[in-house]
Amino acid sequence: MSTTDVSKDSVEVSPPSDLSGGRRPGDSVFSVLSIGSGLLIFVTLAAVAIFLTSESLPAIRASHEVQGAGNGEFGLISYVAPYVYGTVLAAAIALVIAIPISVGIALFISHYAPRRLSSVLGYMIDLLAAVPSVVYGLWGGVWLVPRLEPLYVFLNEYFGWIPLFAGDPTAPMRNLASASVVLAVMVLPIITSVSREVFLQVPRLQEEAALALGATRWEVIRTVVLPFGRSGVVAASMLGLGRALGETMAILMILAPGATFSLHILEVGRHQSIAANIAARQAEASGIDMSLLIFTGLVLFVLTFIINAIARWIVARSAVKS
C-alpha cells in the first residue's frame, strides 16, 4: 500500500458544523413565524366572514319585515340592490376617469420627466395616497362641488340626450358625478404609484432595441412599455377599485343619498353607496335594523371578494399572454 493510499484512508472528512446538528433553532423559529403569519390572513378573513354571516341571519329570517320589501329573500335583495348599484356605478365612473390620467402620469414620471422632476412628482403622488379620506370629503364638498356646477350645467344642456347627463341637476350639485370625481382623485395615487413601478421594470435592452430600429418614443411606449406593464396596470386598477368600492367618508360628506337605479348621475338624491349608508345609519340602528346593515356589509364583502378574484384571473391571463 502506498503512502498516498494510507493518507487518503486516514483522513476523515467531517460535515460542516452548521449541518451536523440538523435544523438550527433560528430556522425553526422563522419557519413557525412565516407559517403563522400566512395562516393569520385566512383566520382573519374567516372571522370576518363568520361574523357578517351570523349577524345577518336575523335580517334574512325576518326579511318580510324590512320596510318597502316584498316577500322573503327577494324583498331583502330589493332593499340592498340600489345600494349595490350606486356603489358599483360610482366606482366604475371613478376608474374611467382615473385610469387614463394615472397611466399618463406614470409614463411621464418613468420615461419623459427629468430625474429631479420625476423624483419630486413621485414623492407628491405618494403624499396624495396618504391623505385621509375625510380631508378629500371636505375638499370635495366645500371647494370642488361649487366649481363643478358650470360643467354640469353645460353637460346637461348640450349632452342631455346621453342618459348619464340627462335629468334635472339642481344646486348644490351633491350628486353621484361629484362623488365619482372625488373618488377618482383618491384612487389616482394608488394606480399611479403601482403603474410607475411596473413601467420602471421594463427591460432597458428592449427599449433600446426598438429605438435602434427607428421607433419613435411613442412607438416604444406603445409596442414595448404598455404590453410589458399591462398586467401591472390591471392589478393597480383593481387596487384602486377596491378602495373606491369601500370608500365611506368622502361619499358620505358629498353625496345626497337616494336609493334608485337611475342613470342620471347629475341629479341629486338618486344614489347611495353601501359603505356610506352603513356609516350614516349605524349610530341609531339596533336590533333588526343593525342586522340589516350588517347584511349590506356582507354583500359588499362578497362583492369585493368576487372583483378581486376576477382581477387575479385577468392578471394571470395577461401574464401568460405576455
Side-chain angles (χ1 to χ4, degrees), residues 112-250:
Y112 286 93
R115 179 170 298 181
R116 291 185 178 180
L117 180 60
S118 64
S119 61
V120 173
L121 289 177
Y123 180 71
M124 293 177 62
I125 292 295
D126 294 337
L127 283 180
L128 284 177
V131 175
S133 60
V134 66
V135 176
Y136 282 113
L138 286 173
W139 168 76
V142 175
W143 185 88
L144 184 63
V145 169
R147 286 160 178 79
L148 289 176
E149 290 183 10
L151 175 61
Y152 294 157
V153 172
F154 172 81
L155 292 174
N156 179 255
E157 182 177 354
Y158 293 98
F159 298 94
W161 50 273
I162 301 176
L164 288 176
F165 306 136
D168 184 21
T170 56
M173 301 290 187
R174 294 183 175 274
N175 48 36
L176 189 71
S178 299
S180 299
V181 171
V182 175
L183 281 180
V185 176
M186 295 179 66
V187 304
L188 187 145
I190 300 175
I191 303 176
T192 301
S193 298
V194 178
S195 300
R196 177 193 62 196
E197 296 301 323
V198 172
F199 293 152
L200 289 174
Q201 300 302 319
V202 177
R204 187 64 181 174
L205 290 178
Q206 294 186 14
E207 297 184 30
E208 293 177 353
L211 291 172
L213 292 174
T216 63
R217 180 62 65 88
W218 163 241
E219 290 173 339
V220 172
I221 297 295
R222 181 170 56 87
T223 60
V224 178
V225 178
L226 291 179
F228 179 87
R230 185 191 304 115
S231 60
V233 172
V234 173
S237 302
M238 293 303 104
L239 287 175
L241 178 60
R243 176 167 187 182
L245 289 174
E247 181 51 43
T248 304
M249 288 307 301

Side-chain angles (χ1 to χ4, degrees), residues 3-310:
T3 308
T4 305
D5 295 334
V6 173
S7 61
K8 287 182 179 180
D9 294 336
S10 60
V11 174
E12 295 182 0
V13 180
S14 61
S17 58
D18 57 348
L19 298 178
S20 58
R23 297 184 64 180
R24 291 177 292 182
D27 295 333
S28 301
V29 172
F30 180 76
S31 177
V32 171
L33 290 177
S34 300
I35 296 174
S37 300
L39 292 177
L40 182 62
I41 299 175
F42 296 100
V43 172
T44 304
L45 186 65
V48 172
I50 293 172
F51 164 78
L52 293 175
T53 304
S54 61
E55 295 296 326
S56 300
L57 290 178
I60 297 174
R61 294 182 183 134
S63 59
H64 62 279
E65 299 178 4
V66 177
Q67 184 178 0
N71 297 323
E73 303 297 332
F74 294 101
L76 192 60
I77 293 175
S78 66
Y79 173 82
V80 178
Y83 300 115
V84 175
Y85 175 79
T87 302
V88 175
L89 183 60
I93 296 174
L95 284 188
V96 170
I97 298 172
I99 290 177
I101 299 175
S102 300
V103 173
I105 296 174
L107 287 174
F108 177 75
I109 294 175
S110 60
H111 287 81
Y112 286 93
R115 179 170 298 181
R116 291 185 178 180
L117 180 60
S118 64
S119 61
V120 173
L121 289 177
Y123 180 71
M124 293 177 62
I125 292 295
D126 294 337
L127 283 180
L128 284 177
V131 175
S133 60
V134 66
V135 176
Y136 282 113
L138 286 173
W139 168 76
V142 175
W143 185 88
L144 184 63
V145 169
R147 286 160 178 79
L148 289 176
E149 290 183 10
L151 175 61
Y152 294 157
V153 172
F154 172 81
L155 292 174
N156 179 255
E157 182 177 354
Y158 293 98
F159 298 94
W161 50 273
I162 301 176
L164 288 176
F165 306 136
D168 184 21
T170 56
M173 301 290 187
R174 294 183 175 274
N175 48 36
L176 189 71
S178 299
S180 299
V181 171
V182 175
L183 281 180
V185 176
M186 295 179 66
V187 304
L188 187 145
I190 300 175
I191 303 176
T192 301
S193 298
V194 178
S195 300
R196 177 193 62 196
E197 296 301 323
V198 172
F199 293 152
L200 289 174
Q201 300 302 319
V202 177
R204 187 64 181 174
L205 290 178
Q206 294 186 14
E207 297 184 30
E208 293 177 353
L211 291 172
L213 292 174
T216 63
R217 180 62 65 88
W218 163 241
E219 290 173 339
V220 172
I221 297 295
R222 181 170 56 87
T223 60
V224 178
V225 178
L226 291 179
F228 179 87
R230 185 191 304 115
S231 60
V233 172
V234 173
S237 302
M238 293 303 104
L239 287 175
L241 178 60
R243 176 167 187 182
L245 289 174
E247 181 51 43
T248 304
M249 288 307 301
I251 301 294
L252 184 63
M253 299 171 69
I254 295 173
L255 186 62
T260 67
F261 292 94
S262 175
L263 282 174
H264 301 166
I265 63 175
L266 299 183
E267 287 189 334
V268 179
R270 290 285 188 175
H271 309 89
Q272 179 68 302
S273 69
I274 294 177
N277 180 65
I278 294 174
R281 299 189 178 186
Q282 63 88 23
E284 294 82 15
S286 61
I288 193 67
D289 293 331
M290 177 60 73
S291 180
L292 181 60
L293 292 179
I294 295 176
F295 175 77
T296 60
L298 176 63
V299 173
L300 181 60
F301 178 82
V302 174
L303 179 64
T304 54
F305 185 83
I306 293 174
I307 289 177
N308 286 329
I310 295 174

